[in-house]
Amino acid sequence: MKNLWLEADYDTIVDALARMVEICAEKPYFDFSGQTYTYQDIDQRSTRMGHVFRALGIRSGQTLVTMLDNNVDAVTAWLALNKICAVSVPINTALRGEFLRHQISDAEASIVICEADYLERIINIAADLPNLKMILYRDKRDHIPPCAIPIASLDQYRGDNDSPHQMRPKPSDLAALIYTSGTTGPSKGCMISGNYIMHLARLKLRFNPAAAQDVVFTPLPLFHLNAIASGIATTTLVGGTIAFAPRFSVSRFWPEVERTGATIASILGSMGTLLAQAADNDAMRRCHGQLHTIRGNPFGPELQQTWRERFGAKRVGSMDYGLSEAAIITGVPGDQPTAPGSSGKRLPEFDVRIFDDQDRELPPGRTGEVVVRPNRAHIMFEGYWKRPADTLGIMRNMWLHTGDIGKFDEDGYFYFVDRKKDYLRRRGENISSFEMEAAFGAHPEVAEVAVHAVPSPAGEDDVKVTAVLKPGSSLSEEALCRWALDKVPYFAVPRYIEFRAELPKNPQGRVLKYLLREDGATPATWDLEASDIIISKR
């Protein structure tokens, strides 16, 4: 049996970049809307900015927050911080108010680099950021509002010192804080090592191989781990080129694929759906077969088939399962077949099991909480930043408890069932909110839906559907319930249905179900038990 602890590849993005500068210094590395930069360009820029950060007082292990769009400065700052063994904290550009204050304050950053357009958001909360000593803004700004914290243009701090940095990050060193979405409370910073990022990149290449001649096109934001690991790190490992779009656009997707000569697209499954539903255009026709690989998840069988037949892609999506704390832990390498609906099998780097509420392992076919621990060093998160109690809580009995419900079948294939906190139990039956939302989301007049628990006087849960209807819909709650009678099991028919203008969401767009659970049955909620609908158990 192989000893994975001894045979593992340990790496950092700094070492990977140095290897490629030796091999292909003048090759295009990044393309930002037609502005291209070679491996040598990026290496030089990041070395210079690293010296600037050191001069500004950033030391090993200290944090710096960036709030940047997809541009060369976002990449340069990230690499510069890695080169001086500091910690990059890229945050979502949609944050504002308390969401923004919490992450900057929690990260204990003394410097923030932001786009000029986002400057006022930070100025508005500056009084509540005692650790912040300087704000650098990118691009032009005609007027700077008054602020007690010094503000300057990033153009003044690009540096000109090309001397190599004496320190070199170790694979185990903390490279980034990636904040969770915070659907159940304040977001937490996942401590990510340099090796975690490179390990995730190698997994992505195992699932969807790439080579030096490939060009990756992606609109994914550089504040997400997906763009950093699946995009930049995979490209660096193979010595390829990556083109970033400012944001996702259906109309600009194929023209940009054509312009860049992209052979791989890194997108989300939801983006793949929108593109598959869009009308033909000339650029799309000319690019038929140009994209051989589509990275992203989830891509269901029908969507995969559409991309293969309509757009000529050979590899579409990756059926895998993972989380910010543990990268990817199940999957299907390359073109290997998988069981329908599954997310592949356990990867050899991880020990993945299904536990009950007493942390006892469950046999194949039984649903329970997904737990995991590594078979190699530094391939999972290093804990939650400044939250040892939360770290110990998720690492109960030395197993990382994912908070997800899943199961393995007899052949070792893994199936995601639901988030544990969203899993419902009603009258002795388990109900998956994930499956319920898929069922109700299929109604032609439902735009968005959340299925969640409402405490029942009889114990366990009552089921509530909170939905947003499409414009112009005259659907009633009772009509929706009657429609669902032959779509869901009798025990899952919701007692409560409520229509709203919008669902509460965090800045990442995830529904805040805990708020819906707290609201419970409101005066605007329709109650099945007050209707004349009879539920048949047949």
Side-chain angles (χ1 to χ4, degrees):
M1 182 176 178
K2 290 184 177 181
N3 188 330
L4 296 179
W5 290 89
L6 294 177
E7 298 182 11
D9 292 315
Y10 294 107
D11 203 0
T12 69
I13 189 64
V14 173
D15 286 335
L17 175 58
R19 293 194 299 268
M20 287 304 124
V21 170
E22 289 292 322
I23 297 170
C24 53
E26 299 305 319
K27 181 177 180 177
Y29 186 16
F30 286 96
D31 179 323
F32 290 99
S33 301
Q35 286 189 303
T36 59
Y37 303 87
T38 66
Y39 278 84
Q40 182 65 54
D41 291 335
I42 296 299
D43 187 47
Q44 184 183 64
R45 281 171 168 263
S46 55
T47 293
R48 291 175 174 178
M49 190 171 283
H51 285 296
V52 169
F53 290 158
R54 293 282 296 176
L56 290 173
I58 302 296
R59 297 292 180 260
S60 300
Q62 292 183 337
T63 58
L64 185 149
V65 166
T66 57
M67 190 177 181
L68 296 170
D69 296 331
N70 283 0
N71 54 57
V72 69
D73 289 322
V75 172
T76 302
W78 173 57
L79 287 168
L81 291 164
N82 274 261
K83 285 186 174 183
I84 64 171
C85 306
V87 184
S88 172
V89 190
I91 61 174
N92 195 314
T93 57
L95 295 178
R96 58 181 68 236
E98 176 57 22
F99 288 95
L100 179 59
R101 187 212 64 78
H102 166 71
Q103 291 194 13
I104 296 176
S105 176
D106 187 76
E108 297 181 327
S110 60
I111 297 175
V112 171
I113 304 175
C114 68
E115 300 290 341
D117 289 344
Y118 309 145
L119 185 57
E120 284 190 70
R121 296 191 215 168
I122 298 172
I123 292 174
N124 290 341
I125 58 173
D128 297 316
L129 297 171
N131 294 314
L132 191 60
K133 307 302 181 191
M134 174 177 279
I135 304 172
L136 300 177
Y137 65 89
R138 182 184 177 278
D139 211 351
K140 305 299 181 184
R141 180 84 189 206
D142 293 332
H143 171 68
I144 304 296
C147 182
I149 297 172
I151 299 173
S153 169
L154 181 62
D155 288 338
Q156 302 174 35
Y157 292 89
R158 297 192 182 279
D160 56 9
N161 186 347
D162 293 326
S163 62
H165 292 281
Q166 294 182 351
M167 297 185 66
R168 195 83 167 220
K170 299 185 296 294
S172 59
D173 284 347
L174 186 58
L177 296 184
I178 302 296
Y179 274 84
T180 62
S181 57
T183 56
T184 58
S187 54
K188 300 184 287 290
C190 287
M191 296 192 290
I192 304 297
S193 69
N195 191 68
Y196 175 114
I197 292 170
M198 303 311 291
H199 167 73
L200 179 53
R202 283 188 164 87
L203 287 181
K204 290 291 186 181
L205 290 172
R206 186 188 305 173
F207 298 145
N208 296 124
Q213 65 268 25
D214 280 310
V215 177
V216 177
F217 173 73
T218 182
L220 299 179
L222 277 163
F223 52 76
H224 278 175
L225 188 58
N226 195 329
I228 294 171
S230 301
I232 299 174
T234 57
T235 298
T236 310
L237 282 171
V238 301
T241 301
I242 184 166
F244 276 93
R247 62 192 60 83
F248 174 67
S249 167
V250 172
S251 63
R252 291 298 306 158
F253 181 85
W254 290 110
E256 281 295 284
V257 167
E258 183 176 32
R259 181 190 68 78
T260 60
T263 56
I264 297 172
S266 184
I267 57 178
L268 302 178
S270 57
M271 297 174 182
T273 299
L274 292 172
L275 290 163
Q277 294 172 346
D280 288 358
N281 61 64
D282 291 340
M284 183 205 79
R285 295 187 187 94
R286 289 191 295 268
C287 290
H288 187 274
Q290 180 179 314
L291 292 174
H292 62 72
T293 296
I294 310 300
R295 295 176 184 162
N297 199 9
F299 274 80
E302 291 185 8
L303 185 57
Q304 290 182 24
Q305 192 65 21
T306 298
W307 272 84
R308 291 190 183 102
E309 293 179 354
R310 186 179 177 193
F311 305 133
K314 294 180 176 63
R315 293 191 183 96
V316 183
S318 54
M319 302 310 293
D320 54 49
Y321 164 77
L323 61 161
S324 297
E325 291 83 352
I328 300 171
I329 59 177
T330 74
V332 185
D335 297 323
Q336 294 180 20
T338 187
S342 81
S343 297
K345 295 185 177 183
R346 297 173 178 88
L347 300 184
E349 291 84 357
F350 293 97
D351 187 353
V352 188
R353 307 192 188 193
I354 305 298
F355 280 3
D356 66 12
D357 288 339
Q358 284 73 50
D359 282 357
R360 297 173 299 195
E361 187 174 8
L362 294 169
R366 293 277 303 278
T367 59
E369 185 170 9
V370 183
V371 299
V372 58
R373 58 188 178 190
N375 291 325
R376 289 179 175 175
H378 306 297
I379 60 173
M380 290 190 359
F381 84 139
E382 305 293 316
Y384 293 121
W385 175 257
K386 298 197 315 174
R387 285 177 165 77
D390 287 334
T391 302
L392 288 173
I394 197 174
M395 295 299 299
R396 190 171 70 250
N397 285 333
M398 300 299 111
W399 288 87
L400 189 151
H401 289 61
T402 66
D404 289 343
I405 299 293
K407 65 180 179 180
F408 285 98
D409 66 16
E410 294 286 351
D411 296 319
Y413 287 102
F414 171 76
Y415 301 81
F416 172 82
V417 176
D418 206 352
R419 290 290 295 163
K420 188 174 183 180
K421 65 179 180 293
D422 295 332
Y423 209 55
L424 303 129
R425 186 168 177 83
R426 186 188 193 197
R427 296 170 188 171
E429 300 285 356
N430 293 323
I431 301 170
S432 166
S433 68
F434 180 83
E435 294 173 344
M436 287 283 283
E437 286 164 1
F440 279 88
H443 192 287
E445 295 182 58
V446 171
E448 291 185 284
V449 62
V451 177
H452 54 95
V454 172
S456 170
E460 295 187 327
D461 301 311
D462 278 322
V463 179
K464 182 177 178 181
V465 170
T466 303
V468 176
L469 298 181
K470 293 181 180 178
S473 172
S474 59
L475 182 70
S476 68
E477 295 88 347
E478 181 174 333
L480 179 59
C481 184
R482 291 186 183 277
W483 173 87
L485 294 180
D486 61 352
K487 306 290 192 305
V488 302
Y490 74 88
F491 57 81
V493 174
R495 174 177 175 180
Y496 299 114
I497 298 178
E498 181 178 342
F499 295 153
R500 295 192 179 188
E502 60 183 7
L503 299 176
K505 297 178 181 178
N506 68 8
Q508 286 80 13
R510 295 188 180 181
V511 176
L512 298 172
K513 285 192 180 180
Y514 76 94
L515 292 179
L516 296 175
R517 286 192 288 267
E518 290 174 1
D519 288 346
T522 71
T525 301
W526 176 85
D527 187 351
L528 172 67
E529 295 189 0
S531 73
D532 60 359
I533 296 176
I534 298 174
I535 306 298
S536 172
K537 295 186 179 182
R538 291 171 51 186

